[in-house]
């Protein structure tokens, strides 16, 4: 056969018999000669016919390309609305013939390729290989069946084996294919033949029967109990379990071997579903006492299984043996402790109960029984620890000195509320339980040197009083200094440093504060176009040019920052950049993307100035982390730029909003160096002037920003009344105080949808307009505003961007929570997700010395109730730091928890583990958590049975804090009855000793010491 | 994924079984690079439960892929020193390195040979390891006498695996990370256990996590804080949880910037070290930390001279070697870096010393698997590097020209995206390497 004849066979329409005959007598050498042609034909045909347009194959014959062109013409059908592509049927035949030609002449290496797929022509392939009989056939089939998704059917492999063409494959996949094939319910859509029961199939084929015992050891669906596997089955259908039981019963299978093989499978590395199925199967074999005894060691081995039901199965089988008084107690008790490493509680509890029965019936083994019980004290579940202690207590008079020693050595792992019981058992005091007493005098000494105002602002006076009462910091946000709590930002000094910073930021556009530092460098450092500069910017421009998409990511709040960088590098200014963070929004929605609009406008103006070669500086560049600007630096900046005619009013407004509360009076003293309009502005914002001396030389939006920066929560309407402003949006001259409600929550298509969650003060329209206000140039008016989607909230803002938005008005970060809350609510039952992060807004909770607003508590509680691990971990951090710093007000926290828990869409079990972790930080934290729970839980009257976990946290927190039960909480706990977990824990709490807070010098010391860190330094 | 077809050929299945003396015995089957099954060790474990749990934990790490649900069936590597048995292995994703150090005091030993071998870890043996108890005498053997005699016979146990080259390569790369680790804190075992149990079992945080110590308390945080240890993948740390009830304390080590951390569980009979890569999806294999040393390529005679000093030492100080041979410490460091890539040396962050081991694999393919170095050499060969003077080089990049600046110590900065992104934390880019090679050649 010549290569051309081969091609004619493939593209022709001859019958398969003719096709087969043409290849059947070829020698190996002839096949080798044709191999390249067959491989190229196969590649060309598959590549071309798998492409929608049947593109011509390079180097292919005219004949083939003509055929492909024909296929293309036939596949395209024009319709009124466009084109429809349908592949002609004969193309499939063409592909199949190309595959068969490949099988007929190609070497094994070509046939192993993933692209060779012939399930639908296995009959023809069988005939071709039967003629060819290559010596590598077995290896090839082994390769195909060993693939993750076997590429040959099981009957095809069996047919090859039965015809002595290949040996039986060794791969496990052969057995899994075997098991899955025998348990099929139908023979496929086109084959209506009835599928015989498994036992019948096995009995009719010695080849199949050979492997029946291997079905236990290999991963397959054989013991899968999912119902869908029986769908469409005949009435006499058998599962593998049924078939095996039947064949054991009728003696076809060796019962002893089936018992052993099924038991051995339970120690193999199989998936849980299969293991579960095998345990059920083994139970149905109903092993006799003799059989149990024979496999006793194998059952004990199951204790080491990481899969709980398997370990439990071993325990149950041996319990039967124990009941039959035929258990080797020594070996059993030696191996049992492994079972206590299972994290779930039910199986260890079953083991303890069995040990309890043994201790009662077999006192001679009491030492070994208690030895086996010891690891239960280390179990992570408190219930397991409790039951173990109860058992020790029951036999306390029989505990040997050595055992008491061993119990004591395990005390370090015990839950705090159980330590006293354990100490009674061991006869030793638990070192962990010793009260944590700090020397209060040191703290009080430092307190003496603290100013009166600081003592009041940070609640230190009240903390040092008796009895100990935790007090949060003041809510007067202007009284608390912040700059000592945050790191200063080092400005970029040189062009070289600036270019390096740009290069790094383009690759790692995460820290938006870094973007602002770069913007500051661009605005300040003169551009010098020396050779080094040229060499540096070429790869940068190349990189930026390559990655248009990166513009979305690199910019804080949109594309303008990327445009600023590009303009700086090239001096080519693009004025038509759309201000959008994302193209997901329609044009109308983009216009509503208000939150960052003022910053975008600022960047655009700065870019235009840079394009002209100017270095205007940037007033709003933060001097410290979290967006803060030191007032002293701010006055210096103003004095440098005050004579420029191109000062950007939005830049000025942002600089006002970022002014720290620190050093304001000192900075006010420096305002004399400023010219008239700036002197008045600075004097007002820094506190020298009580009311603004508003002049028209600065825009009205700047004065409004100054008012907000002077005191964000004050209503300045009176000071601005004489101007007759065009509007009074929230956050302009009147404060912006947000509330929230949960009544509109609805569960819609797995998402909780809120309408009008946030309550805002209504916008007032003032008709006697004299001075017009441009809201788009007023940052505080825009903050927190975001395009609203009615049904879904898809968070298009990265976590870093969200964090950065909180730095736009750090004095009062409540606004930054607003647009994030919808996202947190809608994703409350969703795991953490990099695509829709919700935790970014929580950054503002960590701004030191900022009392938390109502929105802050809402965000905190939503994170606690949410399933998002990132947000929940941050809520733990916020609570830990909030207690240390005094930002957490327990009363407001309880109020928010209580309001949220009134809804039916929060899950009460979620905050418990997080709260416990907070409690474990120190006795002070435990004290606050216990306090919060004791006030919150009594308000959840209707959900008592669901409170077991939270009451457990309450119990452990009280034990950790060594605090007593408050009277109101006591009354509440006493009302619990029944045998629910909640009732049991309530009783345990009531048993705690009543401890007075009168002399809690440890708590006072901790509270003062941690609070002082926030007064002075971090 | 580049991998070599590798067949472990063990003389028998590793197992825990009753010995002829009636005591339970843990026998580890061995298989070395020269296709022998060495017999290194025979003794009696003084703390069998700890031994069993450490080995079980190591096998858990080695058979786990922490990034994707992919099965891995690789066996750990054991090195027998004069005074120490050391088992090492990587997770399937190569992002977690686990090591057991068993000092001679952990055993009553009768035989302790020197060398490195693969050791068979199979499922029945793993199950049996969990059942070892303190208070019972347990024999422990690495290899067997009669195995050598029956080599090539029918009893050889074969395990065919696809051995990823990156798995082997990680053995060399992890050393450079360990050199930067510093002890951050240590906590009692009970506190460590409480911390581990507080870590999420599933669906953990996607963001970077921090272990924060406050007094004796250790807690997980999402916030960077002074003294905190940065790490990712809370599920990776949970690998040590089963050891903590037996442990004395946990010591945590961390590097300053890049986020590598090491968690050392100290037990009475030895220690278990777990080193985590900076990110879950980053293995140790692709880091290129040793490329600069490889680019400097010391002469083979120097390499041979230093290699002779290793002598199966468990604690090799580069200062001692440099004093002994009268060489600069930097040269010794460079040579040991080269030896590391050849699988002949490891680094112990705890003692701050190197140790000798000879990885039991064919390493010829691994040495060639340094794409950045290959790319740099190609750039030099194709005259893609232009010297601009003053330590500045112009190096051909993809569609552009990159500027490389080398300081007096030979450390470089480049304008390429790789350098801009990683700032040298993940090894030098090929442009810096090309400039360094050019500078060395020019000198």
């Amino acid at each position: 056969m010549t290569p051309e004849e081969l091609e004619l066979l493939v593209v022709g329409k001859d019958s398969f018999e003719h096709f087969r005959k043409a290849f059947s007598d070829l020698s190996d050498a002839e096949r080798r000669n044709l191999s390249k042609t067959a491989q190229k034909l196969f590649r060309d045909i598959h590549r071309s016919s798998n492409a929608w347009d049947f593109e011509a194959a390079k180097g292919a014959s005219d004949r083939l390309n003509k055929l492909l062109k024909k296929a293309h013409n036939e596949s395209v059908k024009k319709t009124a609305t466009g084109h429809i592509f349908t592949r002609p049927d004969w193309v499939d035949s063409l592909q199949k013939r190309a595959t068969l030609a490949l099988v007929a002449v190609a070497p094994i290496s070509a046939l192993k390729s993933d692209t060779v797929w012939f399930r639908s022509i296995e009959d023809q392939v069988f005939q071709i290989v039967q003629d060819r009989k290559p010596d590598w056939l077995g290896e090839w089939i082994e390769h195909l069946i060993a693939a993750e998704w076997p590429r040959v059917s099981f009957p095809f492999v069996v047919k090859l084996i039965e015809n002595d063409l290949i040996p039986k494959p060794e791969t496990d996949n052969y057995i899994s294919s075997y098991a899955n094939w025998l348990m099929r319910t139908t023979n496929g859509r086109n084959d209506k033949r009835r599928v015989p029961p498994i036992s019948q199939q096995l009995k009719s084929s010695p080849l199949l029967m050979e492997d029946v015992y291997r079905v236990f050891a290999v991963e397959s669906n054989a013991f899968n109990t999912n119902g869908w596997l029986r769908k469409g089955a005949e009435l006499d259908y058998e599962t593998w379990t049924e078939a095996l039981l039947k064949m054991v019963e009728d003696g076809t299978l060796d019962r002893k071997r089936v018992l052993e093989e099924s038991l051995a499978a339970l120690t193999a590395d199989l998936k849980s579903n299969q293991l579960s199925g095998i345990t059920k199967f083994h139970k149905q074999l109903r092993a006799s006492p003799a059989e149990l005894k024979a496999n006793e060691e194998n059952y004990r081995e199951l204790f080491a299984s990481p899969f709980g039901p398997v370990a439990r199965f071993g325990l149950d089988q041996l319990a039967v043996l124990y009941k039959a008084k035929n258990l080797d107690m020594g070996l059993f008790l030696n191996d049992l402790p492994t079972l206590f490493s299972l994290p779930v509680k039910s199986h260890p509890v079953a083991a303890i109960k069995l040990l309890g029965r043994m201790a009662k019936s077999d006192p001679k083994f009491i030492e070994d029984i208690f030895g086996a019980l010891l690891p239960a004290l280390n179990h992570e579940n408190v219930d397991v620890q409790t039951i173990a202690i109860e058992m020790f207590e029951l036999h306390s008079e029989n505990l040997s000195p050595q055992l008491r020693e061993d119990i004591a050595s395990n005390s370090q792992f015990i839950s705090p509320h159980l330590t006293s019981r354990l100490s009674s058992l061991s006869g030793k005091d638990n070192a962990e339980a010793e009260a944590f007493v700090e020397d209060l005098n040191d703290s009080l000494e430092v307190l003496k040197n603290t100013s009166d105002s600081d003592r009041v602002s940070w609640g230190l006076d009240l903390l040092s009083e008796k009895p100990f009462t935790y007090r949060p910091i003041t809510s007067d946000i202007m009284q608390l200094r912040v700059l000592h709590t945050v790191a200063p930002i080092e400005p970029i000094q040189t062009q070289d440093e600036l270019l390096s910073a740009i290069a790094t930021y383009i690759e790692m556009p995460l820290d938006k504060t870094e973007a602002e530092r770069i913007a500051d460098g661009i605005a300040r450092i003169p551009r010098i176009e020396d050779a080094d500069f040229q060499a540096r910017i070429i790869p940068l421009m190349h990189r930026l040019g390559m990655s248009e998409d990166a513009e979305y990511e690199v910019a804080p709040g949109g594309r303008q920052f990327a445009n600023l960088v590009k303009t700086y590098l090239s001096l080519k200014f693009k004025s038509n950049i759309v201000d959008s963070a994302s193209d997901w929004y329609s044009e109308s929605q983009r216009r509503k993307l208000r939150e960052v609009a003022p910053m975008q406008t600022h960047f655009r103006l700065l870019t235009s100035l840079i394009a002209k070669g100017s270095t205007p500086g940037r007033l709003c560049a933060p001097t410290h982390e979290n967006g803060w600007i030191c007032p002293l630096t701010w006055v210096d900046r103003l004095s440098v730029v005050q004579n420029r005619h191109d000062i950007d009013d939005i830049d000025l407004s942002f600089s006002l909003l970022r002014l720290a509360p620190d050093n304001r009076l000192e900075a006010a003293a420096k305002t004399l160096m400023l010219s008239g309009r700036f002197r008045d502005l600075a004097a007002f914002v820094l506190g020298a002037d009580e009311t603004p001396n508003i002049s028209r030389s600065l825009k009205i939006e700047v004065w409004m920003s100054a008012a907000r920066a002077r005191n964000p929560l004050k209503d300045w309407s009176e000071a601005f009344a004489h101007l007759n402003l065009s509007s009074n949006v929230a956050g302009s001259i009147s404060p912006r105080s947000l509330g929230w409600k949960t009544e509109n929550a609805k569960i819609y298509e797995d998402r909780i949808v809120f309408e009008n969650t946030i309550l805002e003060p209504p916008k007032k329209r003032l008709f006697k307009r004299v001075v017009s206000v441009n809201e788009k140039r007023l940052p505080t008016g825009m903050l927190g505003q975001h395009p609203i989607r009615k049904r879904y909230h898809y968070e298009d803002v990265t976590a870093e961007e969200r964090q950065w938005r909180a730095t736009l008005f750090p004095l009062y970060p409540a606004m930054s929570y607003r647009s994030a809350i919808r996202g947190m609510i809608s994703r409350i039952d969703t795991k953490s997700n990099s695509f829709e992060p919700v935790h970014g807004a929580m950054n503002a909770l960590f701004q030191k010395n900022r009392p938390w607003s109502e929105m802050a508590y809402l965000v905190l509680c939503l994170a606690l109730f949410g399933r998002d691990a990132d947000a929940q971990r941050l809520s733990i951090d916020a609570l830990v730091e909030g207690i240390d710093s005094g930002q957490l007000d327990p009363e407001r926290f309880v109020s928010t928890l209580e309001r949220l828990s009134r809804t039916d869409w929060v899950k009460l079990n979620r905050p418990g583990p997080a709260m416990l972790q907070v409690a474990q930080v120190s006795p002070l934290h435990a004290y606050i958590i216990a306090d919060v729970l004791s006030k919150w839980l009594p308000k959840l009257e209707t959900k008592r049975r669901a409170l077991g976990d939270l009451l457990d946290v309450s119990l452990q927190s009280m034990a950790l804090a060594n605090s007593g039960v408050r009277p109101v909480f006591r009354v509440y706990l006493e009302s619990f009855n029944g045998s629910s977990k909640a009732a049991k824990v309530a009783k345990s709490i009531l048993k705690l000793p009543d401890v007075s807070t009168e002399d809690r010098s440890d708590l006072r010391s901790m509270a003062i010491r941690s609070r002082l860190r926030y007064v002075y330094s971090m | 994924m580049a991998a070599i077809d590798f067949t472990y050929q063990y003389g028998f299945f590793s197992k825990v079984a009753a010995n002829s003396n009636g005591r339970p015995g843990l026998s580890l089957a061995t298989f070395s690079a020269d296709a022998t099954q060495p017999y290194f060790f025979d003794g009696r474990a003084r703390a069998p439960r700890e031994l069993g749990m450490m080995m079980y934990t190591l096998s858990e790490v080695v058979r786990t892929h922490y990034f994707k649900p992919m099965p891995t069936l690789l066996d750990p590597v054991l090195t027998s020193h004069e005074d120490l048995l050391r088992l090492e292995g990587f997770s399937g994703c190569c992002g977690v390195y686990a090591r057991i150090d068993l000092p001679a005091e952990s055993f009553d030993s009768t035989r302790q040979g020197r060398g490195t071998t693969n050791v068979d870890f199979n499922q029945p043996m793993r199950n049996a390891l969990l059942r070892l108890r303190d208070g019972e005498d347990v024999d422990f053997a690495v290899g067997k006498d009669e195995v050598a005699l029956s080599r090539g016979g029918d009893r050889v146990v074969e395990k065919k695996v696809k051995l990823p080259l990156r798995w082997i390569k990680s053995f060399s790369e992890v050393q450079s990370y360990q050199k930067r680790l510093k002890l951050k804190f240590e906590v009692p075992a009970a506190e460590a256990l409480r911390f581990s149990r507080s870590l999420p079992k599933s669906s953990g945080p996607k963001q970077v996590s921090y272990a924060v110590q406050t007094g004796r308390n250790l807690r997980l945080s999402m916030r960077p804080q002074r003294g905190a240890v940065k790490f990712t993948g809370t599920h990776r740390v949970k690998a040590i949880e089963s050891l903590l009830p037996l442990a004395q304390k946990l010591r945590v080590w961390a590097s300053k910037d890049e986020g590598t951390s090491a968690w050392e569980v100290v037990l009475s009979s030895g220690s278990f070290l777990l080193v985590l890569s900076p990110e879950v999806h980053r293995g140790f294999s692709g880091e290129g930390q040793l490329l600069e040393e490889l680019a400097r390529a010391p002469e083979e005679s120097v390499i041979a001279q230093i290699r002779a000093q290793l002598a199966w030492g468990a604690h090799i100080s580069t200062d001692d070697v440099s004093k002994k041979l009268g060489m600069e410490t930097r040269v010794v460091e460079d040579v040991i870096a080269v030896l590391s890539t050849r699988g002949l040396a490891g680094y112990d962050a705890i003692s701050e010393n190197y140790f000798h081991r000879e990885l039991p694999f064919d390493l010829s393919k691994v040495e060639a698997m340094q794409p950045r170095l290959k790319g740099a050499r190609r750039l030099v060969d194709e005259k893609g590097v232009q010297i601009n003077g003053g330590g500045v080089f112009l190096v051909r990049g993809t569609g552009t020209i990159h500027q490389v600046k080398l300081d007096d110590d030979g450390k470089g900065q480049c304008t390429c995206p790789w350098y801009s992104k990683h700032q040298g934390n993940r090894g030098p880019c090929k442009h810096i390497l090309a400039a360094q090679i050019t500078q060395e050649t020019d000198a």
Side-chain angles (χ1 to χ4, degrees), chain B residues 192-203:
Chain B
L193 182 64
R194 200 196 52 69
F195 169 73
S196 179
R197 285 175 176 170
S198 74
L199 301 176
K201 289 186 178 69
S202 59
S203 67

PDB file of all heavy atoms in Angstrom, chain B residues 192-203:
ATOM      1  N   ALA B 192      -0.063  24.990  72.396  1.00  0.00           N
ATOM      2  CA  ALA B 192       0.061  24.728  70.958  1.00  0.00           C
ATOM      3  C   ALA B 192      -1.112  23.889  70.459  1.00  0.00           C
ATOM      4  O   ALA B 192      -1.644  24.126  69.375  1.00  0.00           O
ATOM      5  CB  ALA B 192       1.380  24.010  70.678  1.00  0.00           C
ATOM      6  N   LEU B 193      -1.526  22.935  71.270  1.00  0.00           N
ATOM      7  CA  LEU B 193      -2.650  22.087  70.882  1.00  0.00           C
ATOM      8  C   LEU B 193      -3.940  22.907  70.817  1.00  0.00           C
ATOM      9  O   LEU B 193      -4.740  22.771  69.891  1.00  0.00           O
ATOM     10  CB  LEU B 193      -2.804  20.927  71.878  1.00  0.00           C
ATOM     11  CG  LEU B 193      -3.927  19.940  71.562  1.00  0.00           C
ATOM     12  CD1 LEU B 193      -3.674  19.217  70.251  1.00  0.00           C
ATOM     13  CD2 LEU B 193      -4.086  18.914  72.673  1.00  0.00           C
ATOM     14  N   ARG B 194      -4.110  23.764  71.806  1.00  0.00           N
ATOM     15  CA  ARG B 194      -5.302  24.615  71.796  1.00  0.00           C
ATOM     16  C   ARG B 194      -5.313  25.506  70.548  1.00  0.00           C
ATOM     17  O   ARG B 194      -6.333  25.703  69.896  1.00  0.00           O
ATOM     18  CB  ARG B 194      -5.318  25.482  73.063  1.00  0.00           C
ATOM     19  CG  ARG B 194      -6.679  26.029  73.406  1.00  0.00           C
ATOM     20  CD  ARG B 194      -6.582  27.165  74.403  1.00  0.00           C
ATOM     21  NE  ARG B 194      -5.662  28.194  74.004  1.00  0.00           N
ATOM     22  CZ  ARG B 194      -5.847  29.022  72.992  1.00  0.00           C
ATOM     23  NH1 ARG B 194      -6.937  28.938  72.271  1.00  0.00           N
ATOM     24  NH2 ARG B 194      -4.941  29.920  72.676  1.00  0.00           N
ATOM     25  N   PHE B 195      -4.138  26.021  70.208  1.00  0.00           N
ATOM     26  CA  PHE B 195      -4.013  26.857  69.009  1.00  0.00           C
ATOM     27  C   PHE B 195      -4.367  26.047  67.765  1.00  0.00           C
ATOM     28  O   PHE B 195      -5.157  26.488  66.926  1.00  0.00           O
ATOM     29  CB  PHE B 195      -2.573  27.381  68.905  1.00  0.00           C
ATOM     30  CG  PHE B 195      -2.249  28.024  67.591  1.00  0.00           C
ATOM     31  CD1 PHE B 195      -2.755  29.274  67.276  1.00  0.00           C
ATOM     32  CD2 PHE B 195      -1.444  27.383  66.655  1.00  0.00           C
ATOM     33  CE1 PHE B 195      -2.468  29.872  66.053  1.00  0.00           C
ATOM     34  CE2 PHE B 195      -1.152  27.971  65.436  1.00  0.00           C
ATOM     35  CZ  PHE B 195      -1.659  29.220  65.143  1.00  0.00           C
ATOM     36  N   SER B 196      -3.804  24.853  67.674  1.00  0.00           N
ATOM     37  CA  SER B 196      -4.043  24.037  66.491  1.00  0.00           C
ATOM     38  C   SER B 196      -5.528  23.693  66.359  1.00  0.00           C
ATOM     39  O   SER B 196      -6.088  23.710  65.267  1.00  0.00           O
ATOM     40  CB  SER B 196      -3.203  22.764  66.579  1.00  0.00           C
ATOM     41  OG  SER B 196      -3.433  21.954  65.479  1.00  0.00           O
ATOM     42  N   ARG B 197      -6.145  23.402  67.491  1.00  0.00           N
ATOM     43  CA  ARG B 197      -7.570  23.062  67.438  1.00  0.00           C
ATOM     44  C   ARG B 197      -8.436  24.265  67.078  1.00  0.00           C
ATOM     45  O   ARG B 197      -9.578  24.098  66.645  1.00  0.00           O
ATOM     46  CB  ARG B 197      -8.003  22.466  68.777  1.00  0.00           C
ATOM     47  CG  ARG B 197      -7.519  21.044  68.951  1.00  0.00           C
ATOM     48  CD  ARG B 197      -7.836  20.496  70.318  1.00  0.00           C
ATOM     49  NE  ARG B 197      -7.451  19.090  70.423  1.00  0.00           N
ATOM     50  CZ  ARG B 197      -7.435  18.410  71.547  1.00  0.00           C
ATOM     51  NH1 ARG B 197      -7.766  18.994  72.687  1.00  0.00           N
ATOM     52  NH2 ARG B 197      -7.077  17.143  71.553  1.00  0.00           N
ATOM     53  N   SER B 198      -7.907  25.446  67.317  1.00  0.00           N
ATOM     54  CA  SER B 198      -8.696  26.644  66.971  1.00  0.00           C
ATOM     55  C   SER B 198      -8.615  26.947  65.476  1.00  0.00           C
ATOM     56  O   SER B 198      -9.370  27.770  64.967  1.00  0.00           O
ATOM     57  CB  SER B 198      -8.202  27.853  67.755  1.00  0.00           C
ATOM     58  OG  SER B 198      -6.954  28.308  67.231  1.00  0.00           O
ATOM     59  N   LEU B 199      -7.710  26.279  64.772  1.00  0.00           N
ATOM     60  CA  LEU B 199      -7.588  26.536  63.332  1.00  0.00           C
ATOM     61  C   LEU B 199      -8.760  25.880  62.609  1.00  0.00           C
ATOM     62  O   LEU B 199      -9.185  24.800  62.986  1.00  0.00           O
ATOM     63  CB  LEU B 199      -6.270  25.961  62.799  1.00  0.00           C
ATOM     64  CG  LEU B 199      -4.997  26.508  63.439  1.00  0.00           C
ATOM     65  CD1 LEU B 199      -3.774  25.784  62.883  1.00  0.00           C
ATOM     66  CD2 LEU B 199      -4.862  27.998  63.194  1.00  0.00           C
ATOM     67  N   PRO B 200      -9.255  26.543  61.560  1.00  0.00           N
ATOM     68  CA  PRO B 200     -10.408  25.973  60.858  1.00  0.00           C
ATOM     69  C   PRO B 200     -10.069  24.607  60.267  1.00  0.00           C
ATOM     70  O   PRO B 200      -8.978  24.399  59.752  1.00  0.00           O
ATOM     71  CB  PRO B 200     -10.670  26.980  59.730  1.00  0.00           C
ATOM     72  CG  PRO B 200      -9.911  28.196  60.087  1.00  0.00           C
ATOM     73  CD  PRO B 200      -8.800  27.792  60.974  1.00  0.00           C
ATOM     74  N   LYS B 201     -11.043  23.684  60.389  1.00  0.00           N
ATOM     75  CA  LYS B 201     -10.821  22.340  59.844  1.00  0.00           C
ATOM     76  C   LYS B 201     -10.965  22.340  58.331  1.00  0.00           C
ATOM     77  O   LYS B 201     -10.310  21.624  57.617  1.00  0.00           O
ATOM     78  CB  LYS B 201     -11.831  21.362  60.438  1.00  0.00           C
ATOM     79  CG  LYS B 201     -11.565  21.063  61.894  1.00  0.00           C
ATOM     80  CD  LYS B 201     -12.499  19.993  62.393  1.00  0.00           C
ATOM     81  CE  LYS B 201     -12.219  19.640  63.829  1.00  0.00           C
ATOM     82  NZ  LYS B 201     -12.550  20.698  64.780  1.00  0.00           N
ATOM     83  N   SER B 202     -11.889  23.139  57.865  1.00  0.00           N
ATOM     84  CA  SER B 202     -12.072  23.238  56.408  1.00  0.00           C
ATOM     85  C   SER B 202     -12.459  24.662  56.083  1.00  0.00           C
ATOM     86  O   SER B 202     -12.772  25.442  56.979  1.00  0.00           O
ATOM     87  CB  SER B 202     -13.174  22.285  55.950  1.00  0.00           C
ATOM     88  OG  SER B 202     -14.369  22.615  56.628  1.00  0.00           O
ATOM     89  N   SER B 203     -12.448  24.964  54.813  1.00  0.00           N
ATOM     90  CA  SER B 203     -12.760  26.308  54.313  1.00  0.00           C
ATOM     91  C   SER B 203     -12.124  27.392  55.180  1.00  0.00           C
ATOM     92  O   SER B 203     -12.785  28.265  55.711  1.00  0.00           O
ATOM     93  CB  SER B 203     -14.267  26.533  54.212  1.00  0.00           C
ATOM     94  OG  SER B 203     -14.871  26.546  55.464  1.00  0.00           O
TER      95      SER B 203
END
